Amino acid sequence: MVETELPLDPISLINQVLEHVYEYLSSDSRVIRPGSIRSYEAAAADIYFRILLEQGNLDEDKLREIITRVGIQNLLLSVETQNPEEKKLILEEAFEYALNRVLRGFDEFAKQGHAPKKRELEQKQATGDRASSGTGQLRARSRTGSERRPGERGEEETDLNVLTSSVSEDVSLSGLRQGQAMYSGRTASLRTTGEIVNTQVEEVSMNDEMEQMISTIYEAFYGGVGTVNFMNLAQLINMFVRYDANIIKKVQVLKKLEKYLRGYGLVGQTTYTKLTQGDKKILEEFRRRTRGYSSDMAQMKVMKFVGSDRYPTYVVNMREFKFGDSYSNIDLYKTAINISRKSLMGKMITSRDIVVKEYANVKSIDLVLCLDVSGSMRELSWGMQKIDIAKDAVSKYVQFLTNTNDKLALILFNFRADVLWTLHQVKKYWKYMLYLLSYVYAGGGTNLAHALERAREVLSKSKSSAKHIVCVTDGRTVNAQLCIREVMRLRRQGATVSTIAIGENSDDDLLMKISRMGGGLFIKISNIHDLSKALIIDKLHFL
Amino acid sequence: MVLRKHTSEQAKTGTSQNQYSDKLLENLPRLSDLLKREPIQVEKLVAEAIRTKGVRKILSELDKVLKGLGDVALDLLSSLAIGRHVLIMGPVGVGKTTLAETIAEILAIADPPYIEVACHSHMTATELTGDIDIAVALQAGLDHPLAFIPGPLVLAHGRILILDEINRLNPYSQAALLQALQEHYVYIRGFRIRSDFLVIATSNPAEYSGVYELSEALADRMKVIEINYPDREVLRGILEWKSNALLEHLGVKVPDFLVELTTNFVTLLVQDSNIEVGPSIRSAIFALANAMSRAWLEGREPSINDLKVELVENMVSTIRGNFSSEQEKKEYLLKKFDEALIIAKRSYKR
Ligand SMILES: Nc1ncnc2c1ncn2[C@@H]1O[C@H](COP(=O)(O)OP(=O)(O)OP(=O)(O)O)[C@@H](O)[C@H]1O
Ligand SMILES: [Mg+2]
């Protein structure tokens, strides 16, 4: 049996050590992430090369020291532990465990009492080894090594001698090549240690996808002449997660990014989360007043490009709205007329204005809201930034939708569009939505076509029969022609499109065209303070 | 020198000012040339340089500039040779930047061997990538040498890129850097320019001076080399050597006792658990040299008090720790100095 074993070469020794390090880290509850495959590959090549640089001045202690130090250097930023201060310590433990296993055999190591998780590892040994028996010779070797009886251990020392002598050659070109190939070529050497590779496949594809995303983002980012290098919030978040990730994930990312945004001065003082109850009241009052003022002077124009019979349903009865009524039962046409009349007069909307039809069936809509966050939204309107008012309006809209079964996605667009959150049921996720919303900031150009394209992407995953898009913008977009083409595509998918134009600079001709082709509403508000009303009118019009 | 030679030529031949500046312009890269760039395997160049120079030679050259960093330098070389980017981390003034520059210079894989960027938090992505000057491009065409101002990410092609204080880089610039690292292309207004380089970044440990954290994807591409304070004896050697080097032209030499005293002072501070951000070797060197030059100006022998004043003044701004006020910190440092003095006196008696 002894004769059949090949001498230990440095590359497979390093690989075995790293394999055990990975094993140790993955089974340790203090570790959140045992590290990426890239960092293990780099560690293997780096350790190997570093040993070559020693030019043979190497005893076992030095060897252990180099493997541990260089290994940790490479893994440090990739491994994540619950307590960052413990990270180095845990890594040192992992290397000690791994080196002892590879150089001395597991039994002796356990006898020395250094194995902190002996029982756990023994279990792993019993079950895990059988499972991984396909991982080839390296694994088989290390197992026989650990199962060897004490008398046979002398043979391990010879292994080590072979190792040190085989690395004591001078830094040779072949050595260099081998080291480089291990890392940059990502060739067989590390792949043979199947376990690392297998368990990491998912992570790799995740990474690849992320890389692809970042590069797409950047291609567009630096793509056109005359772009403003300004990322919107959604774009920034989506650099770290998939655009269609669950909203909770996005919130987590935002929490991490929060301090950068603050450092960049992109977060205003009035984020909802930070306000005390008293502050909120004052702010509400202030907003109510400013809104009240503006409503007197503001104008709202609603144009309808859709018949009230768009969703044929059997109407049983008609009555005024009562608390607890399902919104899907509202008579859109009559209610919209009531509301638009009232809002033109600047009066409060009451439940009496909402007319309920009792339908035979109940629907829910998948809604996509595209919000303009270009630089013009930073302008002040009645002492408040337009973007803040828009955020306020959208949060009202979200709160309004919590009474429905509707799903809502939010797309932010400036020079490019990105999904801040994809379709989620408002009823369940509204809190997350409001949180994300509170960090939205404005800056950059306007590209509505891209927003529509993104909306189509989002809706392509929708299973609902009613799909609706609302675009809120205050300016002129690039690529007007492309917008029209996107709307046609959306129509073919069965979605409807409404537009809300704010202020004097908007490209009403285009927006009207979009609404007409999109079979939705065109709502023109001269003042952004009316945005929340406009959104709700639009919503009531569509089921 | 080149300039003077040229002007005399100019006088002879009567070439116009215009032609002269045209000559200078010829040395600038044109966009069309940049777009034709071939990939370069920088790690191969590094490995080749290590092989031809030899490890010993490299280390002995380094030793002329920095002491006690041989092991760290080998860690650095080995990762450059396999194409892994490096982040050098350590307290203020332990030679991080100098190490990066010196190693890059010794390897000399290109001319110039490295491009250095002093990172700051307001850096924009275009400051890293470079940009097209639309005004020039409109008048003289996109391929005019001044139409495209290449940034460090473009200039670093085939070289080492030193990113000093990378922890100051905001997420926007980090993203531009990340893209260049993973794609090996830099995008400027739709143009795609090849750029292969290896990064040596330096950073102070994030908890006290980090303005920004490295993004996960960027961090995953870097290995961390930590530099710590040198051992007492090495430190003593560095202080003596560097402070005397600063004073060479004045013709004075730092008395041994003052070096010993400074070494004690620094060592005491390094070992002190009340102090979170330790002393800077650079400050210690300058404190010694300043104390000497002041005495020299006043035409007298340097006193212990000169050194005390200089050391405390130089250190008070770098050191951070468990102090409620600047005044308290200052008093603490004065107290530490007296301790260092007692220890130095004791060892000198023996
Ligand atoms: N090991 C050393 N050997 C010789 N000189 C040293 C050593 N460490 C520091 N110095 C001296 O200290 C000075 C500061 O070094 P350097 O600027 O590289 O430090 P740094 O770590 O980059 O500092 P910072 O954190 O402030 O950027 C150098 O000019 C050098 O002379
Ligand atoms: Mg520095």
Side-chain angles (χ1 to χ4, degrees):
Chain A
M1 179 189 128
V2 174
E3 278 82 8
T4 58
E5 300 214 348
L6 298 157
L8 205 52
D9 69 297
I11 293 181
S12 66
L13 173 109
I14 295 165
N15 281 340
Q16 278 183 44
V17 172
L18 289 173
E19 192 185 337
H20 288 305
V21 167
Y22 185 82
E23 175 191 300
Y24 185 95
L25 294 177
S26 342
S27 66
D28 192 315
S29 61
R30 295 167 296 176
V31 177
I32 298 169
R33 207 176 41 176
S36 70
I37 188 157
R38 177 192 286 117
S39 58
Y40 280 90
E41 278 175 341
D46 197 3
I47 293 170
Y48 179 62
F49 200 90
R50 182 65 182 79
I51 292 172
L52 288 180
L53 286 179
E54 275 310 310
Q55 302 186 312
N57 305 321
L58 214 54
D59 52 22
E60 189 186 330
D61 284 344
K62 182 96 184 166
L63 184 71
R64 280 172 164 265
E65 195 250 312
I66 287 182
I67 293 180
T68 307
R69 190 184 66 235
V70 178
I72 292 178
Q73 284 174 353
N74 278 284
L75 298 182
L76 194 69
L77 293 178
S78 184
V79 172
E80 202 185 327
T81 56
Q82 250 140 23
N83 177 0
E85 272 156 34
E86 272 180 359
K87 196 199 280 185
K88 237 179 134 182
L89 210 79
I90 295 171
L91 278 166
E92 274 163 11
E93 278 171 26
F95 273 92
E96 196 184 349
Y97 160 76
L99 281 162
N100 283 333
R101 256 198 98 162
V102 175
L103 293 178
R104 294 260 168 73
F106 180 67
D107 294 354
E108 191 179 317
F109 178 50
K111 237 185 287 161
Q112 289 170 351
H114 280 297
K117 293 195 177 295
K118 191 179 158 209
R119 214 174 307 129
E120 206 172 306
L121 287 165
E122 271 171 355
Q123 269 171 12
K124 235 180 122 94
Q125 184 96 334
T127 55
D129 270 0
R130 215 178 312 125
S132 61
S133 58
T135 53
Q137 222 187 342
L138 288 179
R139 209 133 227 294
R141 275 208 75 253
S142 75
R143 194 164 56 242
T144 41
S146 60
E147 282 166 8
R148 227 174 275 140
R149 273 170 281 124
E152 286 171 340
R153 197 164 294 116
E155 189 256 347
E156 286 279 336
E157 309 300 326
T158 11
D159 276 356
L160 186 63
N161 289 339
V162 176
L163 166 73
T164 35
S165 66
S166 75
V167 294
S168 28
E169 60 189 69
D170 275 357
V171 181
S172 64
L173 194 58
S174 73
L176 297 179
R177 291 235 175 85
Q178 214 164 356
Q180 286 173 346
M182 278 164 68
Y183 178 44
S184 43
R186 304 202 172 174
T187 42
S189 58
L190 231 131
R191 300 268 171 213
T192 49
T193 61
E195 207 171 37
I196 295 182
V197 179
N198 285 340
T199 45
Q200 294 261 323
V201 168
E202 224 184 86
E203 198 181 320
V204 170
S205 63
M206 263 278 281
N207 273 344
D208 281 352
E209 240 163 297
M210 192 165 115
E211 283 176 13
Q212 212 180 349
M213 252 177 347
I214 294 176
S215 56
T216 325
I217 287 168
Y218 271 82
E219 209 154 335
F221 202 45
Y222 294 108
V225 177
T227 64
V228 186
N229 288 356
F230 199 92
M231 282 195 248
N232 65 47
L233 181 71
Q235 192 183 353
L236 195 63
I237 291 179
N238 292 353
M239 283 177 55
F240 301 92
V241 286
R242 289 181 52 104
Y243 79 91
D244 56 356
N246 185 292
I247 190 166
I248 299 176
K249 267 232 163 95
K250 298 219 165 174
V251 167
Q252 284 164 352
V253 170
L254 179 57
K255 285 200 169 133
K256 279 193 192 160
L257 288 173
E258 195 183 326
K259 59 174 181 252
Y260 304 135
L261 293 174
R262 271 183 211 296
Y264 232 66
L266 289 172
V267 188
Q269 262 70 50
T270 57
T271 47
Y272 304 113
T273 44
K274 287 280 145 73
L275 292 175
T276 66
Q277 209 53 36
D279 288 344
K280 261 189 197 157
K281 279 219 180 86
I282 296 167
L283 195 68
E284 271 315 305
E285 180 60 17
F286 172 69
R287 286 186 183 165
R288 204 180 56 75
R289 285 193 188 186
T290 48
R291 217 175 289 130
Y293 279 128
S294 62
S295 287
D296 285 342
M297 331 173 58
Q299 287 179 4
M300 189 190 296
K301 184 169 85 180
V302 181
M303 284 170 76
K304 184 172 70 84
F305 297 103
V306 57
S308 54
D309 55 351
R310 228 185 82 73
Y311 300 107
T313 38
Y314 180 63
V315 180
V316 181
N317 192 9
M318 257 211 220
R319 57 174 169 77
E320 90 176 38
F321 181 82
K322 278 202 295 260
F323 191 77
D325 267 343
S326 164
Y327 284 84
S328 56
N329 295 348
I330 291 167
D331 182 328
L332 314 161
Y333 189 51
K334 288 210 165 66
T335 308
I337 289 180
N338 286 348
I339 290 178
S340 50
R341 194 186 294 141
K342 280 246 173 146
S343 58
L344 281 176
M345 295 186 294
K347 284 189 180 161
M348 285 284 288
I349 300 167
T350 66
S351 63
R352 215 176 294 160
D353 301 313
I354 303 172
V355 180
V356 176
K357 279 188 213 171
E358 287 181 22
Y359 287 102
N361 68 338
V362 175
K363 295 191 181 193
S364 75
I365 311 188
D366 281 356
L367 289 161
V368 180
L369 179 60
C370 303
L371 181 65
D372 186 342
V373 291
S374 63
S376 58
M377 293 293 280
R378 272 200 254 187
E379 288 162 14
L380 295 183
S381 173
W382 296 91
M384 282 176 86
Q385 279 196 4
K386 280 178 171 181
I387 183 72
D388 284 331
I389 303 164
K391 278 157 67 175
D392 197 34
V394 175
S395 74
K396 288 223 148 38
Y397 186 52
V398 167
Q399 270 154 5
F400 176 81
L401 292 175
T402 52
N403 300 311
T404 69
N405 290 319
D406 294 346
K407 288 186 181 163
L408 176 71
L410 182 63
I411 291 174
L412 302 181
F413 66 100
N414 47 8
F415 175 70
R416 43 169 295 138
D418 275 276
V419 181
L420 185 59
W421 69 74
T422 189
L423 289 169
H424 280 80
Q425 198 165 46
V426 184
K427 205 185 265 177
K428 271 197 204 149
Y429 294 99
W430 63 276
K431 275 191 184 152
Y432 299 101
M433 293 176 179
L434 293 186
Y435 177 79
L436 285 171
L437 191 63
S438 65
Y439 283 91
V440 170
Y441 53 84
T446 309
N447 185 350
L448 181 58
H450 199 206
L452 291 169
E453 194 185 323
R454 278 282 139 83
R456 188 160 52 83
E457 251 170 65
V458 167
L459 286 177
S460 68
K461 293 188 185 118
S462 153
K463 288 185 213 82
S464 166
S465 58
K467 301 169 199 154
H468 182 58
I469 297 160
V470 191
C471 302
V472 178
T473 177
D474 73 336
R476 297 188 170 264
T477 174
V478 295
N479 270 338
Q481 215 39 52
L482 200 60
C483 288
I484 302 293
R485 226 178 304 151
E486 277 302 326
V487 173
M488 295 205 291
R489 285 196 196 134
L490 281 164
R491 278 301 263 173
R492 256 179 266 135
Q493 264 190 23
T496 49
V497 187
S498 288
T499 56
I500 299 178
I502 308 163
E504 300 316 310
N505 291 327
S506 56
D507 186 350
D508 293 352
D509 288 346
L510 176 71
L511 295 177
M512 235 184 280
K513 213 163 164 188
I514 291 175
S515 300
R516 192 179 315 124
M517 297 181 58
L521 293 184
F522 166 75
I523 304 177
K524 166 93 182 167
I525 48 181
S526 64
N527 196 303
I528 188 154
H529 294 273
D530 290 322
L531 181 58
S532 62
K533 267 181 227 165
L535 281 169
I536 290 173
I537 288 176
D538 178 73
K539 162 64 188 153
L540 291 180
H541 210 90
F542 285 90
L543 288 184
Chain B
M1 203 178 89
V2 176
L3 195 115
R4 216 184 309 128
K5 195 167 137 209
H6 194 92
T7 21
S8 62
E9 245 176 49
Q10 187 184 322
K12 247 192 287 163
T13 57
T15 43
S16 72
Q17 193 64 39
N18 229 349
Q19 265 170 314
Y20 173 62
S21 61
D22 279 354
K23 270 241 169 89
L24 271 179
L25 286 182
E26 271 168 28
N27 292 324
L28 293 174
R30 282 159 195 275
L31 189 55
S32 57
D33 297 334
L34 295 175
L35 293 173
K36 278 184 231 138
R37 271 182 176 176
E38 293 290 325
I40 299 181
Q41 285 189 294
V42 191
E43 66 273 17
K44 286 243 163 85
L45 296 180
V46 171
E48 198 64 31
I50 296 175
R51 206 169 63 87
T52 44
K53 280 231 156 188
V55 177
R56 263 178 215 118
K57 178 100 187 301
I58 293 177
L59 289 183
S60 74
E61 275 181 40
L62 177 69
D63 211 48
K64 289 180 202 151
V65 186
L66 289 171
K67 291 267 184 291
L69 291 178
D71 256 353
V72 174
L74 289 185
D75 288 357
L76 180 58
L77 287 174
S78 106
S79 79
L80 292 180
I82 61 149
R84 176 96 160 144
H85 309 290
V86 193
L87 173 61
I88 304 177
M89 209 136 80
V92 175
V94 288
K96 300 182 292 293
T97 310
T98 316
L99 177 69
E101 290 169 354
T102 314
I103 287 292
E105 244 159 44
I106 294 172
L107 288 175
I109 54 171
D111 182 27
Y114 64 86
I115 302 290
E116 184 164 342
V117 182
C119 301
H120 57 87
S121 54
H122 296 289
M123 196 160 236
T124 59
T126 31
E127 267 175 81
L128 286 178
T129 58
D131 202 357
I132 286 168
D133 185 330
I134 305 285
V136 177
L138 283 176
Q139 286 173 47
L142 268 175
D143 215 26
H144 189 273
L146 292 177
F148 173 58
I149 319 286
L153 292 185
V154 171
L155 291 172
H157 186 52
R159 310 177 207 281
I160 287 170
L161 177 65
I162 298 180
L163 294 171
D164 209 12
E165 316 270 336
I166 195 176
N167 48 327
R168 308 230 160 121
L169 218 53
N170 61 54
Y172 297 83
S173 324
Q174 277 191 30
L177 171 65
L178 175 62
Q179 193 197 18
L181 289 186
Q182 65 195 8
E183 286 180 51
H184 302 279
Y185 282 100
V186 177
Y187 292 84
I188 291 135
R189 309 261 172 195
F191 293 105
R192 207 169 79 125
I193 299 173
R194 180 84 195 183
S195 194
D196 298 299
F197 52 84
L198 284 169
V199 173
I200 307 181
T202 79
S203 160
N204 293 320
E207 62 271 20
Y208 49 86
S209 68
V211 186
Y212 297 105
E213 234 170 63
L214 285 191
S215 78
E216 242 168 58
L218 198 54
D220 202 38
R221 287 177 167 70
M222 301 227 163
K223 108 168 184 181
V224 182
I225 297 179
E226 282 176 271
I227 302 192
N228 276 317
Y229 289 104
D231 295 340
R232 214 197 102 91
E233 278 319 300
V234 179
L235 174 66
R236 196 180 193 288
I238 294 169
L239 291 179
E240 182 170 18
W241 164 42
K242 289 282 159 112
S243 57
N244 278 320
L246 286 176
L247 294 166
E248 210 179 337
H249 61 289
L250 299 183
V252 290
K253 200 172 168 306
V254 187
D256 209 40
F257 183 72
L258 294 190
V259 177
E260 175 74 16
L261 181 50
T262 310
T263 311
N264 287 347
F265 181 64
V266 173
T267 316
L268 277 178
L269 292 180
V270 169
Q271 291 164 351
D272 193 323
S273 61
N274 273 323
I275 287 173
E276 283 150 24
V277 179
S280 147
I281 298 178
R282 182 196 359 248
S283 302
I285 294 170
F286 277 107
L288 263 175
N290 282 354
M292 292 300 296
S293 71
R294 170 181 285 197
W296 176 80
L297 272 176
E298 293 171 9
R300 58 177 172 81
E301 286 301 301
S303 71
I304 287 171
N305 210 43
D306 289 335
L307 184 62
K308 186 173 180 171
V309 172
E310 288 294 341
L311 271 177
V312 173
E313 270 176 13
N314 274 288
M315 293 286 179
V316 82
S317 57
T318 50
I319 280 177
R320 241 160 285 172
N322 228 340
F323 307 107
S324 57
S325 68
E326 285 297 292
Q327 190 53 37
E328 191 189 325
K329 196 198 305 185
K330 215 164 177 174
E331 272 157 23
Y332 190 82
L333 291 179
L334 289 170
K335 205 181 85 202
K336 282 282 156 186
F337 182 88
D338 293 337
E339 264 177 59
L341 183 59
I342 293 168
I343 300 169
K345 274 184 178 154
R346 210 184 294 143
S347 60
Y348 262 68
K349 251 176 220 153
R350 255 192 266 135

